[in-house]
Amino acid sequence: MPSTVKNATLLLLGRAAVRAHALLGDPAARVVGMGSAHDPYAEYERVRRAGVLVRSRLGLYLTASHEVCSSLLRDPGFGVLPPNALAPVDSTAHAGGRRLVNPVEESFLVRNPPDHTRLRRLVTPWFTPRGLRAQAATVERVVHAHLDEVAARGTFDLVGDFAARVPIQVITELLGVPNADHASFARWGSALVNAIDGVRDMGEMRALHTALREFDAFLDDLIAFRRREPGDDAVSALVSREDLSREDLVATTGLLLVAGFETTVNLIGNAVLAVLGDPAVRERLVADPSHADAVVEETLRTDPPVQYTVRVPAESTVIAGTRVPAGTPVMLLLAGANRDPAVFADPHRFDPDRADVREHLAFSSGIHYCLGAGLARMEAAAALRGLFTRFPDLRPAGRVRRRPSRVIRGAAHFPVTTGTVPAHATHRHPIVEITG
Ligand code: HEM
């Protein structure tokens, strides 16, 4: 596969250059190039100390300012950039003469109006408050079915055995995917999403190509099935449109699936990490399960699954007193903006009682504001309520391993026990994070 070798070579050279700049202290290179065990929040504070808008030798600007992030996200003069633009890969691949579509790189998530408006409008009805209310019972049922499974085991992987399974089952049911194979979805989703900020080695490159091939074939089959047997789901509505190209159909369906679980799994994991790390929060949640909503919201602020995004000005423009040429990427550190002291008092403190928590930018803002925000909140709160009602003594049972991605923040593995082992035994397992 010569193109794979070429891609891998380009990538590894690109990553080596980013690492070299990171060692020299370049702020953007440190954000994207440091290992996943490194504390990203310390980097965002360095950016904040360096200025409102900071230039990087990688040819882009960065900001951790809430005011700047928020205004650029809502500014029609700024558009989106394909997600791998910071670590370019020619991920265009072919299978049996057909071009494989990467939903993360070709869907309306990374398109500008008018395409963005046209495609987003087609799937919005499934994510309105009314559409969501219809999902509440499904979410509760799915959460408790998976809790039943882990309850019998005592010790389990919070991510692989629970946090990943709930959103996969919810979004596949919502999209009318029959007999969804959870393990394949988990594998495809992490290969696609981990590659957003660049493929790290040949192993990841191969995993990405395999995932693209399998996911594309799966989406093709799903689309053919819904053409034969339409239901009242989003995919059936999409296939009934005659004005959609095969690429748009595959990319939109694929985006809804992948965005529907690859982020929510991390929200659940990050929220459980926060609860297990703070005895007062845990005590209150166990005593009052309705506290889960506030814990989820504060997790979105302090440890959001999507750490940053990028916008590009269509024309040369001045941002915070600095002229930024047309087409120059600006990296918006959403997770940094969420800890901006100009908006949030004592910003590094985990405080579920903050009145202004909803000012956070975890779901972005403007026309790309997360379509699934309501669903994600509902799933994560139900997961926390269920976990701490059923297992009030839940505790870590080993070391947390982080995902390798820097855009997406979450645990890859998180061993926990339901508390059936004596407390003194689990105290030997504090939450120690190791790199992915
Ligand atoms: C905790 C979970 C989630 C987080 C943190 C999250 C975060 C985000 C963010 C930050 C964006 C915008 C990116 C940008 O502005 O460049 C986005 C867009 C999007 N999200 Fe989510 N998301 C989550 C869950 C979901 C779920 C459950 C769905 C359900 C399908 C979903 C579907 C989408 C879609 C379709 C877009 C593209 C919107 C557009 O471009 O107009 N997300 N999400």
Side-chain angles (χ1 to χ4, degrees), residues 108-109 116 120 127 171 255-256 259-260 263-264 267 305-306 309 311 362-364 367-372 376:
F108 62 87
L109 172 69
H116 171 266
R120 178 171 168 131
F127 298 94
I171 195 70
L255 170 69
L256 293 182
T263 44
T264 311
L267 177 56
V306 179
T309 185
R311 291 294 187 270
F363 291 122
S364 189
I367 61 168
H368 291 277
Y369 181 80
C370 176
L371 193 60

Side-chain angles (χ1 to χ4, degrees), residues 15 33 39 75 87 105 196 213 217 229 235 346 353 368 384 429:
R15 291 208 77 82
D39 176 11
D75 187 335
E105 294 179 6
I196 293 179
R213 206 177 49 246
E229 290 183 33
V235 180
D346 198 0
D353 290 326
H368 291 277
L384 270 198
H429 291 297

Side-chain angles (χ1 to χ4, degrees), residues 73 80 107-111 116 120 123 127 167 171 174-175 252 255-268 300 304-306 308-311 334 361-377 379-380:
L73 287 168
V80 287
S107 59
F108 62 87
L109 172 69
V110 284
R111 307 266 281 270
H116 171 266
R120 178 171 168 131
V123 289
F127 298 94
I171 195 70
L174 193 146
L175 294 185
T252 308
L255 170 69
L256 293 182
L257 279 168
V258 171
F261 62 83
E262 269 304 301
T263 44
T264 311
V265 51
N266 305 306
L267 177 56
I268 298 172
L300 282 162
V306 179
Y308 57 84
T309 185
V310 175
R311 291 294 187 270
L334 304 174
L361 297 174
F363 291 122
S364 189
S365 185
I367 61 168
H368 291 277
Y369 181 80
C370 176
L371 193 60
L375 182 61
R377 285 181 165 121
E379 290 183 61

Side-chain angles (χ1 to χ4, degrees), residues 19-37:
R19 256 197 300 275
H21 281 298
L23 290 174
L24 292 169
D26 183 85
R30 287 184 66 89
V31 168
V32 298
M34 303 297 282
S36 58

Side-chain angles (χ1 to χ4, degrees), residues 13 178 221:
L13 285 174
D221 284 352

Side-chain angles (χ1 to χ4, degrees), residues 199-382:
V199 179
R200 274 148 281 265
D201 52 40
M202 282 296 280
E204 276 195 14
M205 174 68 88
R206 275 193 293 271
L208 175 62
H209 277 264
T210 306
L212 274 177
R213 206 177 49 246
E214 293 178 359
F215 195 38
D216 189 271
F218 160 81
L219 290 169
D220 248 16
D221 284 352
L222 175 64
I223 287 164
F225 169 69
R226 283 300 170 205
R227 281 210 167 100
R228 286 193 312 273
E229 290 183 33
D232 56 3
D233 53 89
V235 180
S236 299
L238 284 173
V239 301
S240 71
R241 311 274 315 193
E242 288 179 358
D243 52 346
L244 276 189
S245 65
R246 172 188 174 267
E247 278 81 9
D248 279 347
L249 203 51
V250 171
T252 308
T253 309
L255 170 69
L256 293 182
L257 279 168
V258 171
F261 62 83
E262 269 304 301
T263 44
T264 311
V265 51
N266 305 306
L267 177 56
I268 298 172
N270 295 355
V272 174
L273 268 172
V275 174
L276 296 191
D278 189 331
V281 172
R282 176 213 192 89
E283 208 173 296
R284 185 152 160 214
L285 179 61
V286 169
D288 173 14
S290 74
H291 190 48
D293 297 286
V295 172
V296 165
E297 214 55 42
E298 181 66 343
T299 304
L300 282 162
R301 186 188 72 82
T302 54
D303 204 13
V306 179
Q307 295 267 296
Y308 57 84
T309 185
V310 175
R311 291 294 187 270
V312 197
E315 291 173 4
S316 167
T317 185
V318 175
I319 306 171
T322 302
R323 178 153 293 279
V324 176
T328 310
V330 184
M331 200 170 173
L332 307 177
L333 301 170
L334 304 174
N338 286 358
R339 293 179 181 219
D340 188 340
V343 176
F344 302 104
D346 198 0
H348 302 293
R349 200 163 81 85
F350 189 89
D351 174 11
D353 290 326
R354 285 174 195 278
D356 55 2
V357 64
R358 286 246 179 174
E359 296 294 318
H360 69 69
L361 297 174
F363 291 122
S364 189
S365 185
I367 61 168
H368 291 277
Y369 181 80
C370 176
L371 193 60
L375 182 61
R377 285 181 165 121
M378 184 192 273
E379 290 183 61

